[in-house]
Amino acid sequence: MTRISLSIAALLLGGTAALAQQDDLIIALQLEPPHLDPTSAAAGAIDSVLYSNVFEGLTKFAEDGSIHPGLAQSWDISEDGTSYTFHLHEGVTFHDGSAMDAEDVKFSLDRARAEDSQNAQKALFAGIEEVTVLDPLTVQVTLGAPDGAFLFNMAWGDAVIVAPESIEGIKSHPVGTGPFAFTSWTQGDSISLDRNAAYWGQAPALNHVTFRFISDPTAAFAAMMAQDIDAYAGFPAPENLPQFEADPRFQVLVGSTEGETILAMNNGQEPFDDPLVREAVAHAIDRQAIIDGAMFGLGTPIGTHFAPHNPDYVDLTDLSAYDPEKAKTLLADAGYPDGFTTTLKLPPPSYARRGGEIIAAQLRAVGIQTEITNLEWAQWLEEVFRGKDFGLTIVSHTEPMDINIYARPDYYFQYDNPAFQELMARLTATTDPAARSELLKQAQRVIAEDHVNAFLFQLAFPTVADARLHGLWKNQPTQATDLTGVSWGE
């Protein structure tokens, strides 16, 4: 495809040759989605391509994390907080030309909360008792109890609106309502989207978008330097950022994410079912050494599963400060004076592969031997996330405000604490901001003191792009590459 074309019309008129406004984009990501249905998988890589571009929900996240209207232009909330009446935009169609209406909203929410639902965030919909179509543009959602985070939950990629007519083929050919329509997927290489000419909202400036998947940091650097790609969101080689910053062809954006990067421990199997062992692992880890060695200084140390930029964050890093001698003592107290051997299964991202080698060395210093296995993303989802077949793993949880995963005993790290579950139930039923803030602070302390996982750092998000590009998201309030406001300039 020609990246810059001459205006033939200008030449025919005898005018000076003019360059047409560029309206295509090639943007690279590190992880390729395992499939293209955001409502039936835990892989954030799906949302990285499709969120806001192809699929939309009733509400949506803005770059600053605030909640804005999406397919719902407005809503009414009952006085008791248990009924939400959503008023949908008129004239919205799916990419196949069919109308999007209240029946599709009911189908999507009922499917997500069904007993056989494969939705990775099924808990988001657990409070829904009934979804009622009042008319084609009005749908009422009735909750069993007030939920202070309901509109927030509806902005997740797992809550996008889909149609029953296209659901069978959604994993390979997604059909949404967004400003871009899916056109093709060359597995192992790229996904292409085209501007949706019938989009109900403001038309995007871009006409054609290609997402390329480049997992190797060296290859990412080479492709960017050669300008084979226009941007790389979540650039995987932070050591190269100074080079790009010094080159006027490029811009470097370093933003924050919701990505709590953790050394997850399998609380459901020995020896990690013992809190003393988990505490020993936590004290064996030098967070700053991992940030410096794996991320070249990009990242903020965390002591619990909560984003430091959130106003309710509590700095609890002192509860798991680096102290290898204390780690050895705790291991001896737990009955492992000579340590033990466990597995360390690593997904593809650089923070995991590079960080894994550093953590393995730190654990070895206190007597814990690790058998490292590098997994592709689909393998990690199958073995670790779904199969719970692991001792240790490293992953960044990029979902927004997701501390409630610690209230799910069947979640992959299998933490089962009834007191914490009750705390989360109280949080869900609380709408007062001050009271919610206090409960969130309590929750952070509980999982930090239980050393459920070793909390490492908040993932930074570096993007390298052509200096002429405007409108790229700097921050990641959810895992997304929202291109709806991206355009080319001078």
Side-chain angles (χ1 to χ4, degrees), residues 228-285:
D228 294 333
I229 55 178
D230 301 313
Y232 197 119
F235 191 75
E239 66 273 21
N240 295 139
L241 294 182
Q243 250 176 293
F244 289 114
E245 289 172 330
D247 191 325
R249 295 179 299 163
F250 304 108
Q251 58 180 309
V252 175
L253 308 173
V254 179
S256 63
T257 75
E258 292 294 317
E260 292 84 21
T261 307
I262 63 174
L263 174 66
M265 295 181 257
N266 193 337
N267 287 228
Q269 74 173 33
E270 294 182 350
F272 303 110
D273 56 348
D274 187 336
L276 290 177
V277 171
R278 299 197 301 266
E279 186 177 358
V281 170
H283 284 295
I285 302 302

Coordinates of all heavy atoms in Angstrom, one line a residue, residues 228-285:
D228 N 9.3 0.9 9.2 CA 8.4 -0.1 8.6 C 7.1 -0.1 9.4 O 6.1 -0.6 8.8 CB 9.0 -1.5 8.7 CG 10.3 -1.7 7.9 OD1 10.4 -1.0 6.9 OD2 11.1 -2.5 8.2
I229 N 7.1 0.4 10.6 CA 5.9 0.6 11.3 C 5.8 2.1 11.8 O 6.8 2.8 11.8 CB 5.8 -0.3 12.6 CG1 7.0 -0.1 13.5 CG2 5.6 -1.7 12.2 CD1 7.1 -0.9 14.7
D230 N 4.6 2.6 12.0 CA 4.4 4.0 12.4 C 4.5 4.2 13.9 O 4.8 5.3 14.4 CB 3.1 4.5 11.9 CG 3.0 4.4 10.3 OD1 3.9 4.8 9.7 OD2 1.9 3.9 9.9
A231 N 4.1 3.2 14.6 CA 4.1 3.3 16.1 C 4.2 1.9 16.7 O 3.9 0.9 16.0 CB 2.8 3.9 16.6
Y232 N 4.7 1.8 17.9 CA 4.7 0.6 18.7 C 4.2 0.9 20.1 O 4.8 1.7 20.8 CB 6.1 0.0 18.8 CG 6.2 -1.5 19.2 CD1 6.7 -2.4 18.4 CD2 5.6 -1.9 20.4 CE1 6.7 -3.8 18.8 CE2 5.6 -3.2 20.8 CZ 6.2 -4.1 20.0 OH 6.2 -5.5 20.4
A233 N 3.0 0.4 20.4 CA 2.4 0.6 21.7 C 2.8 -0.4 22.7 O 2.6 -1.6 22.5 CB 0.8 0.6 21.5
G234 N 3.4 0.0 23.8 CA 4.0 -0.9 24.8 C 5.3 -1.4 24.3 O 5.5 -2.6 24.3
F235 N 6.2 -0.5 23.9 CA 7.5 -0.9 23.3 C 8.2 -1.8 24.3 O 8.4 -1.5 25.4 CB 8.3 0.3 23.0 CG 9.5 0.1 22.1 CD1 9.4 -0.2 20.8 CD2 10.8 0.1 22.7 CE1 10.5 -0.5 20.0 CE2 11.9 -0.2 22.0 CZ 11.7 -0.5 20.6
P236 N 8.7 -3.0 23.8 CA 9.2 -4.0 24.7 C 10.7 -3.9 25.1 O 11.2 -4.7 25.8 CB 9.0 -5.3 23.9 CG 9.1 -4.9 22.5 CD 8.6 -3.5 22.4
A237 N 11.4 -2.9 24.5 CA 12.8 -2.8 24.8 C 13.1 -1.4 25.4 O 13.6 -0.5 24.7 CB 13.6 -3.0 23.5
P238 N 12.8 -1.2 26.7 CA 13.0 0.2 27.2 C 14.4 0.7 27.2 O 14.7 1.9 27.2 CB 12.5 0.0 28.7 CG 12.6 -1.5 29.0 CD 12.3 -2.1 27.6
E239 N 15.4 -0.2 27.0 CA 16.8 0.2 26.9 C 17.0 1.1 25.7 O 18.0 1.8 25.6 CB 17.7 -1.0 27.0 CG 17.6 -1.9 25.8 CD 16.6 -3.0 25.9 OE1 15.7 -2.8 26.7 OE2 16.7 -4.0 25.2
N240 N 16.1 0.9 24.7 CA 16.3 1.7 23.4 C 15.6 3.0 23.4 O 15.7 3.8 22.5 CB 15.7 0.8 22.2 CG 16.5 -0.5 22.0 OD1 15.9 -1.5 21.7 ND2 17.8 -0.4 22.1
L241 N 14.8 3.3 24.4 CA 14.1 4.6 24.4 C 14.9 5.8 24.3 O 14.5 6.7 23.6 CB 13.2 4.6 25.7 CG 12.1 3.6 25.8 CD1 11.3 3.8 27.1 CD2 11.2 3.6 24.6
P242 N 16.1 5.9 24.9 CA 16.9 7.1 24.8 C 17.3 7.4 23.3 O 17.4 8.5 22.9 CB 18.1 6.8 25.6 CG 17.6 5.9 26.7 CD 16.6 5.0 26.0
Q243 N 17.5 6.3 22.5 CA 17.8 6.5 21.1 C 16.7 7.1 20.4 O 16.9 8.0 19.5 CB 18.1 5.1 20.5 CG 19.6 4.9 20.1 CD 19.9 3.5 19.6 OE1 19.8 2.6 20.4 NE2 20.3 3.5 18.4
F244 N 15.5 6.7 20.6 CA 14.3 7.2 20.0 C 14.1 8.7 20.4 O 13.7 9.5 19.6 CB 13.1 6.4 20.2 CG 13.1 5.1 19.5 CD1 13.2 3.9 20.3 CD2 13.0 5.0 18.2 CE1 13.2 2.6 19.7 CE2 13.0 3.7 17.5 CZ 13.1 2.6 18.3
E245 N 14.3 8.9 21.7 CA 14.1 10.3 22.2 C 15.0 11.3 21.6 O 14.7 12.5 21.4 CB 14.3 10.3 23.7 CG 13.1 9.6 24.5 CD 13.4 9.4 26.0 OE1 14.6 9.3 26.4 OE2 12.4 9.4 26.7
A246 N 16.2 10.8 21.2 CA 17.2 11.7 20.6 C 17.0 11.8 19.1 O 17.7 12.6 18.4 CB 18.6 11.2 20.9
D247 N 16.1 11.1 18.5 CA 15.9 11.1 17.0 C 14.6 11.9 16.7 O 13.5 11.6 17.1 CB 15.7 9.7 16.6 CG 15.7 9.5 15.0 OD1 15.2 10.4 14.3 OD2 16.2 8.5 14.5
P248 N 14.7 13.0 16.0 CA 13.6 13.9 15.7 C 12.5 13.2 14.9 O 11.4 13.8 14.8 CB 14.2 15.1 14.9 CG 15.5 14.6 14.4 CD 16.0 13.5 15.4
R249 N 12.8 12.1 14.3 CA 11.7 11.4 13.5 C 10.6 10.8 14.5 O 9.5 10.5 14.0 CB 12.3 10.2 12.7 CG 13.3 10.7 11.6 CD 13.8 9.5 10.9 NE 14.6 8.6 11.8 CZ 14.9 7.3 11.5 NH1 14.5 6.8 10.4 NH2 15.6 6.6 12.4
F250 N 11.0 10.6 15.8 CA 10.1 9.9 16.7 C 9.7 10.7 17.9 O 10.3 11.7 18.2 CB 10.8 8.6 17.2 CG 11.3 7.7 16.1 CD1 12.7 7.6 15.8 CD2 10.4 7.0 15.3 CE1 13.1 6.8 14.8 CE2 10.9 6.2 14.3 CZ 12.2 6.1 14.0
Q251 N 8.6 10.2 18.5 CA 8.2 10.7 19.8 C 8.1 9.5 20.7 O 7.8 8.4 20.3 CB 6.8 11.4 19.7 CG 5.7 10.6 19.1 CD 4.4 11.3 19.1 OE1 3.9 11.9 20.0 NE2 3.7 11.2 17.9
V252 N 8.4 9.8 22.0 CA 8.3 8.7 23.0 C 7.3 9.1 24.1 O 7.5 10.2 24.7 CB 9.7 8.4 23.6 CG1 9.5 7.4 24.7 CG2 10.6 7.9 22.6
L253 N 6.3 8.3 24.3 CA 5.3 8.6 25.3 C 5.5 7.5 26.4 O 5.4 6.3 26.1 CB 3.9 8.5 24.8 CG 3.6 9.4 23.5 CD1 2.2 9.1 23.0 CD2 3.7 10.9 23.8
V254 N 5.7 7.9 27.6 CA 5.8 7.0 28.7 C 4.6 7.3 29.7 O 4.6 8.3 30.4 CB 7.1 7.1 29.5 CG1 7.2 6.1 30.6 CG2 8.3 6.8 28.5
G255 N 3.7 6.4 29.7 CA 2.5 6.5 30.5 C 2.3 5.5 31.6 O 3.2 4.6 31.8
S256 N 1.3 5.6 32.4 CA 1.0 4.7 33.4 C 0.0 3.6 32.9 O -0.7 3.8 31.9 CB 0.4 5.4 34.7 OG -0.8 6.0 34.3
T257 N -0.1 2.5 33.7 CA -1.0 1.4 33.3 C -1.8 1.0 34.6 O -1.4 1.4 35.7 CB -0.3 0.2 32.7 OG1 0.3 -0.5 33.8 CG2 0.7 0.6 31.7
E258 N -2.7 0.1 34.4 CA -3.4 -0.5 35.5 C -2.7 -1.9 35.8 O -3.2 -2.7 36.5 CB -4.9 -0.8 35.2 CG -5.7 0.5 35.1 CD -5.8 1.2 36.5 OE1 -6.0 0.5 37.5 OE2 -5.6 2.4 36.5
G259 N -1.5 -2.1 35.2 CA -0.8 -3.4 35.2 C 0.0 -3.6 36.5 O 1.2 -3.3 36.5
E260 N -0.6 -4.3 37.5 CA 0.1 -4.7 38.6 C 0.9 -6.0 38.2 O 0.3 -7.0 37.9 CB -0.8 -5.0 39.8 CG -1.5 -3.8 40.4 CD -2.7 -3.4 39.7 OE1 -3.3 -4.2 38.9 OE2 -3.1 -2.2 39.8
T261 N 2.2 -5.8 38.2 CA 3.1 -7.0 37.8 C 3.4 -7.7 39.1 O 4.0 -7.2 40.0 CB 4.3 -6.5 37.1 OG1 4.0 -5.6 36.0 CG2 5.1 -7.6 36.6
I262 N 3.1 -9.0 39.0 CA 3.3 -9.9 40.2 C 4.0 -11.1 40.0 O 4.0 -11.6 38.8 CB 1.9 -10.2 40.9 CG1 1.1 -11.1 39.9 CG2 1.1 -9.0 41.3 CD1 -0.2 -11.6 40.5
L263 N 4.7 -11.7 41.0 CA 5.2 -13.0 41.0 C 4.1 -13.8 41.7 O 3.9 -13.8 42.9 CB 6.5 -13.2 41.8 CG 7.0 -14.6 41.9 CD1 7.4 -15.2 40.6 CD2 8.2 -14.6 42.9
A264 N 3.2 -14.4 40.8 CA 2.0 -15.1 41.4 C 2.4 -16.5 41.9 O 3.3 -17.2 41.4 CB 1.0 -15.3 40.3
M265 N 1.9 -16.8 43.1 CA 2.1 -18.1 43.7 C 0.8 -18.9 43.8 O -0.2 -18.4 44.1 CB 2.6 -17.9 45.2 CG 4.0 -17.2 45.2 SD 4.6 -16.9 46.9 CE 4.3 -15.2 47.1
N266 N 1.0 -20.2 43.6 CA -0.2 -21.1 43.6 C -0.5 -21.4 45.0 O 0.0 -22.4 45.6 CB 0.1 -22.4 42.8 CG -1.1 -23.2 42.5 OD1 -2.1 -23.1 43.2 ND2 -1.1 -24.0 41.4
N267 N -1.5 -20.6 45.6 CA -1.9 -20.8 47.0 C -2.6 -22.1 47.2 O -2.8 -22.5 48.4 CB -2.8 -19.7 47.4 CG -2.1 -18.3 47.6 OD1 -2.3 -17.7 48.6 ND2 -1.3 -17.9 46.6
G268 N -3.0 -22.8 46.2 CA -3.7 -24.1 46.3 C -2.9 -25.3 46.3 O -3.4 -26.4 46.4
Q269 N -1.5 -25.2 46.3 CA -0.7 -26.3 46.3 C 0.5 -26.1 47.2 O 0.9 -24.9 47.4 CB -0.2 -26.8 44.9 CG 0.8 -25.9 44.3 CD 1.4 -26.4 43.0 OE1 0.7 -27.0 42.2 NE2 2.6 -26.1 42.7
E270 N 1.1 -27.1 47.7 CA 2.3 -27.0 48.5 C 3.5 -26.6 47.7 O 3.5 -26.9 46.5 CB 2.7 -28.4 49.2 CG 1.7 -28.9 50.2 CD 2.1 -30.2 50.8 OE1 3.1 -30.8 50.3 OE2 1.5 -30.6 51.8
P271 N 4.4 -25.8 48.2 CA 4.4 -25.3 49.6 C 3.8 -23.9 49.8 O 3.8 -23.3 50.8 CB 5.9 -25.2 49.8 CG 6.5 -24.8 48.5 CD 5.6 -25.5 47.5
F272 N 3.1 -23.4 48.6 CA 2.6 -22.0 48.7 C 1.3 -21.9 49.4 O 0.8 -20.8 49.5 CB 2.6 -21.5 47.3 CG 3.9 -21.5 46.6 CD1 4.1 -22.4 45.5 CD2 4.9 -20.7 47.0 CE1 5.3 -22.4 44.9 CE2 6.2 -20.7 46.3 CZ 6.4 -21.6 45.3
D273 N 0.8 -23.0 49.9 CA -0.4 -22.9 50.7 C 0.0 -22.5 52.2 O -0.9 -22.2 53.0 CB -1.2 -24.3 50.8 CG -0.3 -25.4 51.2 OD1 0.9 -25.3 51.3 OD2 -0.9 -26.5 51.5
D274 N 1.3 -22.4 52.4 CA 1.8 -22.0 53.7 C 2.1 -20.5 53.7 O 3.0 -20.1 52.9 CB 3.0 -22.8 54.1 CG 3.5 -22.6 55.5 OD1 3.2 -21.5 56.0 OD2 4.2 -23.4 56.0
P275 N 1.5 -19.7 54.5 CA 1.8 -18.2 54.5 C 3.2 -17.9 54.8 O 3.7 -16.9 54.3 CB 0.8 -17.7 55.6 CG -0.2 -18.7 55.7 CD 0.4 -20.0 55.4
L276 N 3.9 -18.7 55.6 CA 5.3 -18.5 55.9 C 6.2 -18.6 54.6 O 7.1 -17.8 54.4 CB 5.8 -19.4 57.0 CG 5.3 -19.2 58.4 CD1 5.8 -20.3 59.3 CD2 5.7 -17.9 58.9
V277 N 5.8 -19.6 53.8 CA 6.6 -19.8 52.5 C 6.4 -18.6 51.6 O 7.3 -18.0 51.0 CB 6.2 -21.1 51.9 CG1 6.8 -21.2 50.5 CG2 6.6 -22.3 52.7
R278 N 5.1 -18.2 51.5 CA 4.8 -17.0 50.7 C 5.5 -15.8 51.2 O 6.0 -15.0 50.4 CB 3.3 -16.8 50.6 CG 2.5 -18.0 50.0 CD 1.1 -17.5 49.6 NE 0.3 -17.0 50.7 CZ -0.5 -17.7 51.4 NH1 -0.7 -19.0 51.3 NH2 -1.3 -17.0 52.4
E279 N 5.6 -15.6 52.5 CA 6.3 -14.4 53.0 C 7.8 -14.5 52.7 O 8.4 -13.5 52.4 CB 6.0 -14.3 54.5 CG 6.6 -13.0 55.1 CD 6.3 -12.9 56.6 OE1 5.6 -13.8 57.2 OE2 6.8 -11.9 57.2
A280 N 8.3 -15.7 52.8 CA 9.7 -15.9 52.5 C 10.0 -15.5 51.1 O 11.0 -14.8 50.8 CB 10.1 -17.4 52.8
V281 N 9.2 -16.0 50.2 CA 9.4 -15.6 48.7 C 9.3 -14.1 48.6 O 10.2 -13.5 47.9 CB 8.3 -16.3 47.9 CG1 8.3 -15.7 46.4 CG2 8.5 -17.8 47.8
A282 N 8.4 -13.4 49.2 CA 8.2 -12.0 49.1 C 9.5 -11.3 49.6 O 10.0 -10.3 49.0 CB 7.0 -11.5 49.9
H283 N 10.1 -11.7 50.7 CA 11.3 -11.1 51.2 C 12.5 -11.4 50.4 O 13.6 -10.8 50.6 CB 11.5 -11.4 52.7 CG 10.5 -10.7 53.6 ND1 10.6 -9.3 53.8 CD2 9.5 -11.1 54.4 CE1 9.6 -9.0 54.6 NE2 8.9 -10.0 55.0
A284 N 12.5 -12.4 49.6 CA 13.6 -12.8 48.8 C 13.8 -12.0 47.5 O 14.8 -12.0 46.9 CB 13.5 -14.3 48.4
I285 N 12.7 -11.2 47.2 CA 12.7 -10.4 46.0 C 13.1 -9.0 46.2 O 12.7 -8.3 47.1 CB 11.2 -10.4 45.4 CG1 10.7 -11.9 45.2 CG2 11.1 -9.6 44.2 CD1 11.6 -12.7 44.3

